[in-house]
Amino acid sequence: MNTVPTQEAGMNTLPTQEAGMNTVPTIHVADPVIQVRNLGKVYGSFTRDSILQTGPEFGTARDPRTGSIIAAWNVNFDVAAGEALGIVGESGSGKSTVLRCIAGDQPATTGDVRLACHDNGEFNILHLDPATRRRLRIDKLSVVYQDAAEGLALGVTAGGNIADPLTAAGWRHFGRIRERAADLLRRTEVPLDRMDDIVRTFSGGMRQRVQIARALANNPPILLLDEPTTGLDASVAAGVLDLIRRLLEELDLAVVVVSHDFAVIEMLTQRCIVMQHGRVVEDALTDQLLEDPQHPYSQKLVAAARA
Amino acid sequence: MTNESAIDMSSLAEITGDAPTTPFALLDEESKREIRRALLQAVAIPGYQVPFGSREMPVARGWGSGGLQISLAIVGNDDTVKVIDQGDDEGVNAVNLRRLIASSTGINETTEVNEATIVQSRHRIPEDPMGADQILVLQVPVPEPLRGVERDMKELARMHAEADYSKMWVSLYEDKVRNGVITQTTGYPCLVAGRYVTATTPIPRWDIPRLHQADFLTLFGAGREKRVYAIPPHTDVEPLTFDDVEFEVESADGATCKLCGSSDSFLVESPGTTPSWTCSDTAWCRRRRQA
């Protein structure tokens, strides 16, 4: 069984849900907007044993023989409209990798991701060609990154950054683009007199607000947040969190929030999965997880956050 | 062909003996064929930049070597050539290129648009209308319209392939926000045949409307950047502009040409202590004065 599988052919022989694997029961929801099944991302070549001999039980995501990193494996979850799912875990646990594979920033090694807003979820978006995947990012799926430089053009004005997805969606009326940009900036509490300033001159908190405004430009049904407040001052982070929470209540979005910070997870999400060494170790309601974590690693994380 | 402008072959022949002399139109047949192939592809995909193996020319790159190679590749015995630089037949570069084309082929040269079959130009489309039996060859410094908004060649290729021009629109948006108007003058970006955003370098906005649904074929050659592209006859050429921001051509209020009195041609400021204007197209201006 020690074969190196190729992307397509060898997948059936790889362990996913089979007996012997420590699989966490997934909470299923009715009418999921995002459906993720068996998502996996491996850096480097790997074998069946690489999968079987990494993960929480082995205390590493690195295959000792090949040096490959099993960054994420066998990740499953559903997210419904109006719901926010958190992904928690320490640095290197694979939570951002999962988000980037869904967003299309990185190619997944294996898995099945379906979006209700794309052909009614009939196709696995991981198999779409890059151009079609990029088009999903215009009005179906937006991402807010920890580093504003990833989500924004820093040398362009706040209004221009919002004009980008609007023009990509076919907006050609200057006045209406201005109106829409001003409206979004108002809702994300960016002072309108900064609208025509380039984003590089903005503070960290303000950049995040512009990023959120841009992400919402074409009313996407899906929003992915990758550590949206990490690196901000506590008071600024609280303001941005407040804003996100309010927007989530107003808009009927399906949201995935990646964070190592339980305060963020507690404030924004109803459910969350805990990841360690590239695997999901717990899938629970957020309240439940914080009150009564089941997995030893979750217990450690919660205890650390509560200390 | 006059004796003055002919290349002196006699001393060359003494050295080379029976070896082949300079071929018709300077370039060897294989080179001309390669350029013509690229041009056919360019005509078939309006506005798309086709790479070609730009040859070393007797003019430096950046001095019209791209346009020159096109002219030399398409020229035949029956052609008559006109070359202008900034609308002027007598510019040093225009004269040199015209003499090079004529002397290496033996064809006639002219300054009149209606006599020419090939008009090679830098910066202008002649004021006189051109017809279906004429070809306009433009010398292009920067063929990539997105160069100002993206530097990565791979990303540029992707943007063209996917018709992803939002960055271009953002730059027009930013221009309008910063300056109140869209300031880009020469080389205004245009959408050709509804598909490719194309650089119209280096012609002024004034000439852009004359590319739209033109009767004539326009060939663009960038020698340094090794690209050719084309706007075939009867092709839509739309300058990129917002629905509520009108595309305007250059105008100088109340200015008239100090030589011919024209107010409806493209005027350029002429040097001097008091501001005065002259037609950019000198052949057109001269004929108006003679009429």
Side-chain angles (χ1 to χ4, degrees), chain A residues 131-248:
Chain A
T132 315
R133 283 210 80 178
R134 258 187 296 276
R135 272 200 290 282
L136 289 179
R137 296 283 290 267
I138 296 172
D139 57 358
K140 301 276 196 286
L141 180 160
S142 288
V143 188
V144 173
Y145 297 93
Q146 176 183 349
D147 180 4
E150 263 192 271
L152 298 174
L154 295 185
V156 169
T157 63
N161 268 293
I162 298 171
D164 185 39
L166 292 178
T167 56
W171 290 51
R172 293 289 179 267
H173 191 285
F174 182 77
R176 280 201 276 279
I177 291 172
R178 293 284 291 172
E179 271 170 37
R180 174 73 178 152
D183 181 43
L184 286 159
L185 291 174
R186 206 175 296 121
R187 282 167 67 188
T188 50
E189 291 154 3
V190 177
L192 280 191
D193 57 1
R194 303 293 315 267
M195 179 166 165
D196 297 333
D197 292 346
I198 63 166
V199 173
R200 187 170 286 115
T201 64
F202 285 25
S203 67
M206 195 90 89
R207 288 181 189 187
Q208 290 311 73
R209 289 170 189 276
V210 175
Q211 242 202 117
I212 294 164
R214 178 193 155 103
L216 298 176
N218 289 317
N219 295 317
I222 298 171
L223 183 62
L224 309 180
L225 304 165
D226 188 4
E227 306 267 9
T229 57
T230 307
L232 300 179
D233 290 346
S235 59
V236 175
V240 173
L241 270 183
D242 244 3
L243 168 73
I244 296 174
R245 187 184 159 119
R246 219 161 19 75
L247 290 170
L248 297 195

Side-chain angles (χ1 to χ4, degrees), chain A residues 29-176:
Chain A
V29 302
D31 300 323
V33 176
I34 313 170
Q35 194 180 59
V36 178
R37 292 289 175 269
N38 299 329
L39 186 68
K41 173 72 184 176
V42 180
Y43 295 98
S45 62
F46 64 104
T47 63
R48 185 186 155 82
D49 283 353
S50 316
I51 308 297
L52 289 175
Q53 294 178 11
T54 52
E57 306 94 277
F58 299 90
T60 180
R62 184 176 173 276
D63 178 359
R65 272 168 303 181
T66 62
S68 301
I69 305 291
I70 319 299
W73 197 260
N74 198 18
V75 176
N76 298 280
F77 60 80
D78 289 345
V79 189
E83 190 185 32
L85 174 99
I87 306 181
V88 264
E90 59 196 8
S91 303
S93 60
K95 53 192 193 311
S96 283
T97 300
V98 169
L99 185 122
R100 280 163 187 273
C101 287
I102 297 169
D105 292 337
Q106 285 176 3
T109 305
T110 178
D112 190 320
V113 177
R114 284 155 201 266
L115 309 179
C117 54
H118 178 72
D119 290 325
N120 279 323
E122 276 182 46
F123 301 104
N124 180 0
I125 62 160
L126 300 180
H127 292 164
L128 292 178
D129 63 279
T132 315
R133 283 210 80 178
R134 258 187 296 276
R135 272 200 290 282
L136 289 179
R137 296 283 290 267
I138 296 172
D139 57 358
K140 301 276 196 286
L141 180 160
S142 288
V143 188
V144 173
Y145 297 93
Q146 176 183 349
D147 180 4
E150 263 192 271
L152 298 174
L154 295 185
V156 169
T157 63
N161 268 293
I162 298 171
D164 185 39
L166 292 178
T167 56
W171 290 51
R172 293 289 179 267
H173 191 285
F174 182 77
R176 280 201 276 279

Side-chain angles (χ1 to χ4, degrees), chain B residues 19 33 35 37 61 65 81 104 154 176 189 201 281 285 287:
Chain B
R33 183 182 293 178
I35 296 165
R37 273 199 194 122
R61 285 180 175 169
S65 63
V81 67
S104 64
K154 238 174 147 179
K176 170 95 175 109
T201 35
D281 188 337
C285 186
R287 223 183 36 259

